[in-house]
Amino acid sequence: MRIDSFLNATNLVKRRSIAQDMCASQVVEINGVPAKSGREVKVGDVITLRFLEYTKYFQILSIPSTRTTPKSQMYEFVREIDSPNV
């Protein structure tokens, strides 16, 4: 699954277009490398989201099979971690 679709499907961002803009602005990283919106993600990857005042790290636990998931199921797919072990 593409990183922009993954961010949208797991409710880390509200819309896929926002995820694409974040990738274009190089605020999204996968395993410490800036990610383009078409980059494929796999289980075990660490996603870094750099916001203006803070940075969040998420480890991918599984890939959703549908385009959208309820917010209550978000943590079946990602786990927030303190810092990357990349």
Side-chain angles (χ1 to χ4, degrees), residues 56-67:
K56 287 195 172 192
Y57 304 98
F58 297 94
Q59 184 174 23
I60 298 175
L61 303 176
S62 65
I63 306 294
S65 58
T66 58
R67 290 175 52 176

Side-chain angles (χ1 to χ4, degrees), residues 19-29 33-36 48 50:
Q20 289 173 334
D21 290 343
M22 289 173 70
C23 290
S25 300
Q26 296 186 343
V27 297
V28 178
E29 295 179 359
V33 178
K36 293 184 179 180
T48 305
R50 298 191 184 281

Side-chain angles (χ1 to χ4, degrees), residues 24-60:
S25 300
Q26 296 186 343
V27 297
V28 178
E29 295 179 359
I30 299 175
N31 298 327
V33 178
K36 293 184 179 180
S37 60
R39 168 96 185 263
E40 294 289 320
V41 295
K42 59 185 183 298
V43 174
D45 284 347
V46 175
I47 298 173
T48 305
L49 299 178
R50 298 191 184 281
F51 297 101
L52 291 175
E53 298 174 359
Y54 58 92
T55 300
K56 287 195 172 192
Y57 304 98
F58 297 94
Q59 184 174 23
I60 298 175

Side-chain angles (χ1 to χ4, degrees), residues 4-20 22 49 51 67-69 71 74:
D4 57 349
S5 297
F6 181 83
L7 292 173
N8 183 36
T10 56
N11 297 305
L12 293 175
V13 296
K14 284 190 172 215
R15 291 188 303 260
R16 185 172 166 210
S17 61
I18 293 173
Q20 289 173 334
M22 289 173 70
L49 299 178
F51 297 101
R67 290 175 52 176
T68 58
T69 57
K71 283 189 176 186
M74 173 182 165

